[in-house]
Amino acid sequence: MRVNDDKWNVFAVLKRFFPFQLISSHIKNNLFSLFFWMILFLIITERIGSPFGIPLLFLSPEYLGEVSPLSFAIVGFAIGGFIMGFNTYSYIKIGAHYPFLITISKPFLRFCINNSVIPLLFNVVYIVKIIQFQKVEESADSYSIFLYILFYLIGITFFLLFSLFYFFPASKRNSNHFNSQSLKPINSIIHKREKWYEIFKREKHKTSIYFGKNLKLMASRSSTHFDKELVERVYARNRISSSIYELLTISIFFGLGFFNSFKLLEVPAAASIVLLITISSMLFSALHSWFRNWVYLILFIAFILMDFLSIHTGAFNYKSYAYGLNYNAQNTYSMKRLGSLSTNESINEKSLNDYIQTLENWKVNTNQTKPKLIIINSSGGGSRSALWTMTVLQKLNQSIKNGFNENIQLIAGASGGMIGAAYYRELLLETKIGKQKLNDDEFYCDNISKDILNKLTFMASTNDIFIRYQSCEFNGYSYVKDRGFAFEEQLHNNTENKLNKSLGYYYPFEKEGKIPTMIFSPTIINDGRRLLISSQDLSFITSSANNNSSFENVEFHQLLRNQKANNVRFSSILRASATFPFVMPMITLPTIPEVQLMDAGIRDNYGGKTTMQYLSSLKDWIKENTSGVVVIQIRDVKKVMNDESYKNVSFLDKITLPFGNMYKNFPKVQDFNQDELISISKNGLGFPIDIISFNLLESRKERISLSWHLTSEEKKKIHDATESKLNRAALNELQKILN
């Protein structure tokens, strides 16, 4: 029999090629799995997540403080887990569409091999991107890059082999599960060795060319006459085995969460992200194995039920706590109470007099008749702002010899900048009380820039998003652990436990004027108000005389009068001010109704609003006792970038800009508003105000991740930024003002 020439065209071959048939089936019936692959592809190609440094977590993963072959091996192990999850779910979802699989030995293994097009393509692209990034961005040598790739592949291979060993016993020809009578429909068409091209000598049926034993191309027999009931029985058995494997794997992953305090389990954040994706896909796969297409309706009903129960019973309503607060006692949160706090003249007057005493003590410590009152405004921006703030303050301490630190009275800002400032202030305090001498050692910069994301993401994937089953104690109270707890613990580890204190610990030192006052202003997400937090009572700022009629600012101590507010863990306050959406959970306060706190940057990313309210409240004392105010802005992004440009609006832009504008232009809107506020206030305050800005990013082309993880190259860029032309000019101007 002669093969017709038209049967040998490329399209005919591709149409019968089993790996390509599987891709077609994925597109038709398995978009759920393809969605996760798309996410990973977009990450490694830096199409999504670049501003937040997510691609860098994959291209330069860090483990135990360094990028190493072991860190890549762990990421490889995690991706191997995802690949097996993908294969398992795909086998359950679309395997039954190819009945010939039940006639061959080790069907699951054969399925995995032929289902490798997408995983192989991903790994090729990923390895190319690793090589490019390590060469260009990290200046790694060829030998190091070779080890990274080798260990990455070892990690993948180890997980794949480990998983497949489970399947081998159940991957023999599936007909072995049935009695001799049931075998007849299958045994009659048991696969015989046949060259792949023999398929074209037969009539056209639903047949496939697949990779068989030893990766040889083989042709399947037609499956059109298979007993559908028998095929379904076979795959029902496979679904049970697969779901058991998935649930076992998920249980192991969750079990690892019990040991998250061990430093060895602070795996690279990329591995935790892949782990989270794998758990999600496996959970869905296991549910689909049992409930088939009913799973969508079941999940929808479960979601609605969980939402209902969370509102009416508190179930599933996971809370993130400010450690140290008493959640057994609750205070009312209402317009009536906020109004009563703001208009309580006796409390407001006492607060003002107390803080004026703080200013008097500060003035004495400066040893100047009329000192310059220095205010530090530090912007949010994750680890880059924390490191940038520490770097700038060290630079100023080194360059200005006439009592720079003594003249700082207030620090305000948001997120990472306030964490860096808090660490600097702690070192300053230890110098004042004789524990150590403040210096400009890069050791402290290294500490504040250490990775926080690894521990945070691992906690999220194993003990947070799906289920919270661990607790901790602080000041005699018990709290549930979550990724917020992981953030605080890692921050303490990075900074030698120096910030592991209560808020009230700093009260006497601020009161005596030995260290600057820090004012935190996290956003109350329920109504958009700001919660002003300090070790001292700030009622003089939130009083009706300085607050608007809507009581925009809420005083922390007065709101939580019954919760021992000063006992709150200082790192919880730092976290509340740095709660970027979804990365960390919103802190719930012990109020009725409960209110949640989010990043201070939502309302005041640069500390300008807090600063002007502070100056307005204390203007009489400042005018009488100082020679003026110097506001030092430590910004992660320059107000107007050097290469600021605009483009014509496309059709797609018209659709996306209304939404993107809300995020993209958010910091600019704050700048416009605060510049206007400062301009109006300058004339009315009665004393000079000088504003000096130190900017990290001056051009849109510069890239440093907005994340809690920095690469070695990013750290170097931040360190070198103080020597830019504009920042050197700012330093010279500041020296002239203070001298």
Side-chain angles (χ1 to χ4, degrees):
M1 180 179 173
R2 185 171 178 172
V3 180
N4 295 330
D5 291 339
D6 62 334
K7 292 183 179 180
W8 289 91
N9 63 66
V10 174
F11 178 77
V13 175
L14 296 180
K15 185 178 179 182
R16 304 290 180 89
F17 194 41
F18 188 40
F20 290 168
Q21 289 178 331
L22 287 175
I23 292 177
S24 177
S25 293
H26 285 309
I27 296 172
K28 293 179 181 177
N29 306 298
N30 196 24
L31 287 175
F32 179 79
S33 291
L34 292 187
F35 170 77
F36 290 119
W37 278 116
M38 182 186 69
I39 294 295
L40 290 176
F41 267 107
L42 292 174
I43 288 175
I44 63 171
T45 56
E46 302 182 73
R47 300 298 181 184
I48 61 171
S50 290
F52 308 109
I54 296 176
L56 306 189
L57 303 176
F58 287 78
L59 301 175
S60 193
E62 185 176 301
Y63 178 62
L64 300 179
E66 63 178 359
V67 179
S68 65
L70 184 56
S71 66
F72 277 95
I74 295 171
V75 175
F77 186 82
I79 289 181
F82 177 67
I83 292 172
M84 282 306 303
F86 168 67
N87 284 328
T88 305
Y89 179 65
S90 300
Y91 189 61
I92 295 171
K93 183 72 173 176
I94 64 177
H97 296 177
Y98 303 94
F100 78 87
L101 288 170
I102 68 176
T103 70
I104 62 178
S105 64
K106 300 177 181 177
F108 180 75
L109 176 61
R110 303 284 181 255
F111 180 89
C112 291
I113 293 172
N114 286 272
N115 197 41
S116 298
V117 174
I118 296 175
L120 281 173
L121 179 62
F122 171 82
N123 279 291
V124 169
V125 174
Y126 185 27
I127 289 172
V128 170
K129 295 297 293 186
I130 289 172
I131 295 171
Q132 292 175 344
F133 184 86
Q134 291 296 326
K135 271 189 173 182
V136 177
E137 298 292 337
E138 297 288 0
S139 302
D141 57 84
S142 299
Y143 180 68
S144 296
I145 296 173
F146 169 76
L147 288 180
Y148 295 161
I149 303 302
L150 176 63
F151 275 73
Y152 168 74
L153 295 174
I154 290 173
I156 288 181
T157 304
F158 181 81
F159 192 98
L160 294 179
L161 292 177
F162 171 79
S163 301
L164 286 171
F165 271 120
Y166 167 82
F167 278 101
F168 280 150
S171 294
K172 296 178 181 180
R173 190 173 294 128
N174 288 293
S175 58
N176 295 334
H177 295 302
F178 304 94
N179 57 43
S180 59
Q181 186 65 30
S182 66
L183 290 177
K184 289 181 180 179
I186 293 181
N187 285 336
S188 63
I189 48 114
I190 281 290
H191 179 76
K192 307 294 184 183
R193 286 187 177 275
E194 185 177 36
K195 302 296 184 181
W196 67 270
Y197 52 79
E198 294 293 322
I199 191 174
F200 298 103
K201 296 180 181 180
R202 298 187 254 108
E203 295 182 6
K204 292 183 179 180
H205 291 294
K206 192 176 181 180
T207 51
S208 304
I209 303 168
Y210 68 95
F211 288 107
K213 189 176 181 181
N214 299 324
L215 299 181
K216 291 182 179 179
L217 286 173
M218 304 184 72
S220 70
R221 292 282 186 176
S222 172
S223 58
T224 56
H225 57 294
F226 274 36
D227 187 297
K228 292 183 178 180
E229 183 179 349
L230 179 60
V231 172
E232 181 57 34
R233 288 170 60 192
V234 171
Y235 278 97
R237 180 101 177 201
N238 289 337
R239 281 193 291 270
I240 294 172
S241 299
S242 300
S243 61
I244 292 173
Y245 165 77
E246 290 170 333
L247 292 173
L248 178 63
T249 305
I250 292 168
S251 299
I252 292 172
F253 285 151
F254 282 138
L256 291 173
F258 280 108
F259 307 98
N260 61 68
S261 59
F262 289 84
K263 193 170 182 63
L264 289 175
L265 287 180
E266 293 175 13
V267 299
S272 294
I273 293 171
V274 175
L275 173 61
L276 186 60
I277 292 174
T278 304
I279 291 174
S280 301
S281 63
M282 281 190 168
L283 278 173
F284 185 85
S285 176
L287 291 171
H288 189 273
S289 299
W290 294 99
F291 303 111
R292 308 296 297 275
N293 290 333
W294 286 98
V295 68
Y296 301 102
L297 178 61
I298 291 171
L299 288 175
F300 177 75
I301 294 173
F303 178 80
I304 298 298
L305 182 61
M306 288 171 64
D307 183 66
F308 177 83
L309 293 174
S310 68
I311 296 173
H312 298 282
T313 68
F316 306 106
N317 195 359
Y318 294 139
K319 300 177 185 177
S320 186
Y321 299 92
Y323 304 111
L325 287 182
N326 178 12
Y327 281 79
N328 297 323
Q330 295 180 314
N331 283 319
T332 302
Y333 186 91
S334 65
M335 280 293 295
K336 181 179 179 181
R337 182 158 185 261
L338 296 181
S340 68
L341 295 177
S342 182
T343 56
N344 193 318
E345 294 184 5
S346 61
I347 292 177
N348 298 336
E349 186 178 356
K350 182 179 184 303
S351 171
L352 178 61
N353 292 332
D354 286 347
Y355 200 85
I356 286 176
Q357 186 57 55
T358 297
L359 290 173
E360 293 286 355
N361 295 335
W362 163 81
K363 181 182 176 181
V364 170
N365 287 324
T366 65
N367 293 316
Q368 301 171 48
T369 305
K370 283 197 171 186
K372 285 285 187 182
L373 189 149
I374 297 177
I375 298 175
I376 304 294
N377 283 173
S378 185
S379 73
S383 287
R384 75 182 186 192
S385 286
L387 177 57
W388 177 235
T389 299
M390 174 63 74
T391 303
V392 170
L393 290 175
Q394 283 192 338
K395 182 73 173 179
L396 298 182
N397 177 62
Q398 181 184 30
S399 304
I400 302 173
K401 302 298 184 181
N402 59 337
F404 165 72
N405 291 316
E406 285 71 20
N407 282 57
I408 304 173
Q409 210 293 306
L410 175 68
I411 300 175
S415 191
M418 291 294 278
I419 292 176
Y423 190 40
Y424 181 85
R425 187 183 74 156
E426 183 65 34
L427 299 174
L428 178 63
L429 174 58
E430 291 193 351
T431 302
K432 292 289 183 69
I433 61 179
K435 283 190 175 182
Q436 68 174 46
K437 184 178 180 180
L438 181 66
N439 55 55
D440 306 315
D441 196 331
E442 290 187 8
F443 172 77
Y444 302 116
C445 286
D446 291 339
N447 283 350
I448 202 62
S449 62
K450 286 179 180 178
D451 175 86
I452 298 179
L453 204 57
N454 284 355
K455 192 177 185 72
L456 191 155
T457 52
F458 184 74
M459 176 68 85
S461 57
T462 60
N463 182 71
D464 193 352
I465 294 179
F466 295 101
I467 184 173
R468 298 178 181 177
Y469 53 87
Q470 297 186 61
S471 61
C472 63
E473 287 192 5
F474 191 81
N475 282 352
Y477 300 110
S478 180
Y479 307 94
V480 176
K481 288 184 180 180
D482 58 11
R483 60 191 186 278
F485 173 84
F487 176 90
E488 293 186 34
E489 288 300 293
Q490 191 60 52
L491 178 63
H492 295 155
N493 293 337
N494 293 351
T495 56
E496 302 177 292
N497 231 35
K498 293 183 182 297
L499 298 175
N500 191 10
K501 299 178 175 69
S502 67
L503 177 66
Y505 171 83
Y506 297 100
Y507 175 78
F509 304 110
E510 288 187 10
K511 188 70 179 177
E512 295 166 11
K514 291 183 177 180
I515 59 173
T517 297
M518 292 194 76
I519 299 180
F520 301 89
S521 56
T523 305
I524 300 173
I525 204 66
N526 306 64
D527 55 19
R529 290 181 169 84
R530 302 193 313 144
L531 184 65
L532 299 189
I533 306 174
S534 174
S535 70
Q536 303 177 78
D537 191 322
L538 300 176
S539 294
F540 68 93
I541 295 179
T542 63
S543 68
S544 57
N546 301 299
N547 215 349
N548 53 43
S549 59
S550 60
F551 316 118
E552 177 189 4
N553 301 301
V554 182
E555 213 286 320
F556 178 68
H557 294 273
Q558 297 302 322
L559 177 66
L560 303 179
R561 191 178 296 167
N562 300 325
Q563 281 78 28
K564 301 179 179 179
N566 251 342
N567 288 343
V568 68
R569 202 182 195 186
F570 185 60
S571 57
S572 290
I573 301 302
L574 291 173
R575 172 164 63 92
S577 180
T579 301
F580 193 85
F582 303 112
V583 177
M584 284 192 290
M586 296 182 292
I587 286 180
T588 299
L589 293 181
T591 58
I592 303 175
E594 295 176 339
V595 297
Q596 285 76 37
L597 303 180
M598 196 175 282
D599 203 303
I602 296 175
R603 292 291 315 279
D604 189 15
N605 192 49
Y606 306 108
K609 189 176 184 67
T610 301
T611 295
M612 296 313 299
Q613 290 174 331
Y614 167 92
L615 295 177
S616 177
S617 303
L618 300 166
K619 62 182 179 181
D620 293 337
W621 189 94
I622 295 173
K623 181 180 179 179
E624 183 70 25
N625 293 274
T626 74
S627 58
V629 173
V630 180
V631 179
I632 300 175
Q633 296 181 336
I634 305 176
R635 301 172 57 97
D636 67 329
V637 176
K638 189 168 176 280
K639 282 186 182 181
V640 181
M641 304 295 263
N642 296 340
D643 53 354
E644 194 84 36
S645 62
Y646 305 93
K647 64 177 184 178
N648 292 326
V649 177
S650 68
F651 172 76
L652 182 61
D653 290 334
K654 291 180 179 179
I655 299 174
T656 60
L657 278 177
F659 303 98
N661 177 67
M662 291 186 292
Y663 169 75
K664 185 180 179 181
N665 292 327
F666 208 64
K668 287 187 176 182
V669 172
Q670 290 191 19
D671 273 331
F672 295 150
N673 291 339
Q674 291 180 14
D675 286 349
E676 185 178 16
L677 180 63
I678 293 172
S679 179
I680 295 172
S681 301
K682 269 187 174 183
N683 296 327
L685 290 174
F687 49 81
I689 302 176
D690 295 290
I691 299 175
I692 308 295
S693 294
F694 294 89
N695 303 291
L696 173 58
L697 300 176
E698 300 177 357
S699 168
R700 292 188 178 277
K701 296 179 181 179
E702 300 172 354
R703 185 183 71 172
I704 301 176
S705 306
L706 179 61
S707 172
W708 294 110
H709 175 88
L710 296 171
T711 67
S712 57
E713 186 62 26
E714 288 177 325
K715 294 176 185 178
K716 185 178 183 300
K717 288 180 181 178
I718 294 172
H719 180 269
D720 295 342
T722 56
E723 299 302 319
S724 75
K725 183 179 179 180
L726 287 177
N727 287 329
R728 288 200 307 270
L731 176 59
N732 292 333
E733 185 179 356
L734 180 61
Q735 288 175 321
K736 289 178 182 178
I737 293 172
L738 296 180
N739 290 330

